[in-house]
Amino acid sequence: IAGITQAPTSQILAAGRRMTLRCTQDMRHNAMYWYRQDLGLGLRLIHYSNTAGTTGKGEVPDGYSVSRANTDDFPLTLASAVPSQTSVYFCASSKLAGAQETQYFGPGTRLLVL
Amino acid sequence: GQNIDQPTEMTATEGAIVQINCTYQTSGFNGLFWYQQHAGEAPTFLSYNVLDGLEEKGRFSSFLSRSKGYSYLLLKELQMKDSASYLCAGADSNYQLIWGAGTKLIIKP
């Protein structure tokens, strides 16, 4: 089934630990995105990639890093987790990077940092 | 600054019509999206407006007024499955989406 998968579904993490959230899409979309969603706030863009081999910083990039070695995969790494990074993380993709492009979202990863 | 405002919560009755409003301020403007998000699930695309006017898609319609920085999502013939959060997002000059916090719509029988 075409779409976006994320792993893990949920995770409890000790503060200070390193964690990589995985995201894979099989739609051959060029653009991919990482958002975090917190109660009472809108989705906030962490990092994005307009095409394989390129990445950019979003609204809230501090404490996170990404890579885009190929079209399908866009992992998000927390180098040293802090409790404020407790959130629901959504990966998304669009066919192209552009304002009119519909973004398709993965099921999310629920992360609790203690 | 960039900002999207929408009501936090609305309640409506099954079979009725509801209008969810959204006002936006973005650096530049490249369109307005509406997404639906059921509790515990991912957002899914509903509509995109870049020109003024009403776009109708089945029971759902979306309206845009660029001069007023205003949009609304109109849901007709409400069904219980329409209970969800509705997210408004504006595309800015860098083509990034600025998201509202979402409007939680509660449908009562």
Side-chain angles (χ1 to χ4, degrees), chain A residues 5-85:
Chain A
T5 58
Q6 292 184 237
T9 303
S10 64
Q11 183 74 44
I12 300 174
L13 189 66
R17 297 296 295 269
R18 180 184 179 90
M19 173 79 191
T20 294
L21 309 185
R22 299 185 298 280
C23 175
T24 300
Q25 53 101 359
D26 63 1
M27 297 179 284
R28 307 304 294 170
H29 283 178
N30 284 295
M32 296 187 75
Y33 315 84
W34 273 106
Y35 291 95
R36 60 178 291 172
Q37 187 174 42
D38 302 291
L39 198 62
L41 298 177
L43 289 161
R44 291 183 291 169
L45 183 65
I46 305 170
H47 285 286
Y48 64 93
S49 169
N50 288 339
T51 189
T54 69
T55 62
K57 294 182 179 180
E59 181 186 354
V60 289
D62 294 343
Y64 306 95
S65 64
V66 292
S67 62
R68 186 88 185 277
N70 57 60
T71 298
D72 299 345
D73 300 300
F74 191 43
L76 175 74
T77 297
L78 289 67
S80 178
V82 294
S84 62
Q85 291 178 311

Side-chain angles (χ1 to χ4, degrees), chain A residues 33 35 37 40-43 45 48 90 98-107 110, chain B residues 30-31 33 35 37 40-45 48 87 91-92 95-97 99-101:
Chain A
Y33 315 84
Y35 291 95
Q37 187 174 42
L41 298 177
L43 289 161
L45 183 65
Y48 64 93
F90 286 104
Q100 74 281 12
E101 295 290 325
T102 299
Q103 293 186 15
Y104 298 87
F105 285 78
R110 285 144 188 83
Chain B
N30 282 298
F33 287 86
Y35 279 74
Q37 186 177 26
E41 297 183 8
T44 55
F45 170 78
Y48 171 71
L87 314 182
D92 69 11
Y95 303 106
Q96 303 297 342
L97 294 187
W99 295 81

